[in-house]
Amino acid sequence: MTVSVLVADDQELVRTGLRTILDAQQDIEVVGEAGDGAEAVDAVRRLRPDVVVMDVRMPTMDGLAATRRIVSESSEPPRVLVLTTFDLDEYVYEALRAGASGFLLKGAPTAQVIEAVRVVATGDALISPSVTRRLIDEFARRPRADARAPAQLDELTARERDVLELVVRGRSNPEIAEELVVSAATVKTHVAHILTKLGVRDRVQAVILLYESGVIRPGGA
């Protein structure tokens, strides 16, 4: 299956570079480009790509606003892979809240860019365990409104709760498998069930949901 990609960046040189890298892969095709967020939203409506590689800082409409629009306008929106110059800046946090499936730093190695597109296209999230931990740490420093744990947590089995706790701690699937003494395939199945029961797109959105509902507390991850 070929993964269709839309590249959104206000720098033509960056767009050209990404197109060259991605189009060279047999399983990836760049179907369009956009120079700002508004163009990206329009292009998604027309081209319906599987993945949008989205720059954060663009004129007219930034990547954050564009991501929010793209994710909210369809029941099956494309996966958004945020491209940023800054490691975990404020825009990245907000983009993840808006529904992005992960992010890449500009200047990432070619192989990492290609793998990132493939990973998010399969429905997974491209957030490393170390980044997940830092994401939680950042959330923990922010004031929260009073909230209650989502009722969906009651639907999780005891084993699924064990897996979710390790996801929240930033563990990768292989690390969870090793700690719980199960196979990686079993962990992947548990994670899929957890995401379905919580009603979230990926493990990053699960972490955000648990933080914002008060389940994750400062120092608890």
Side-chain angles (χ1 to χ4, degrees), residues 6-18 32-40 52-64 66 81-86 106:
L6 173 72
V7 176
D9 194 292
D10 62 333
Q11 298 181 45
E12 183 178 358
L13 183 61
V14 173
R15 296 198 306 271
T16 300
L18 287 170
E33 298 180 12
D36 60 49
E39 289 182 9
V52 180
V53 179
M54 180 79 75
D55 187 22
V56 174
R57 300 182 179 183
M58 294 184 291
T60 309
M61 179 187 292
D62 65 25
L64 169 60
L81 183 62
V82 173
L83 191 65
T84 178
T85 306
F86 305 98
K106 284 188 175 180

Side-chain angles (χ1 to χ4, degrees), residues 73-88:
E73 286 189 356
S74 171
S75 59
E76 296 185 5
R79 298 281 167 168
V80 178
L81 183 62
V82 173
L83 191 65
T84 178
T85 306
F86 305 98
D87 188 2
L88 287 178

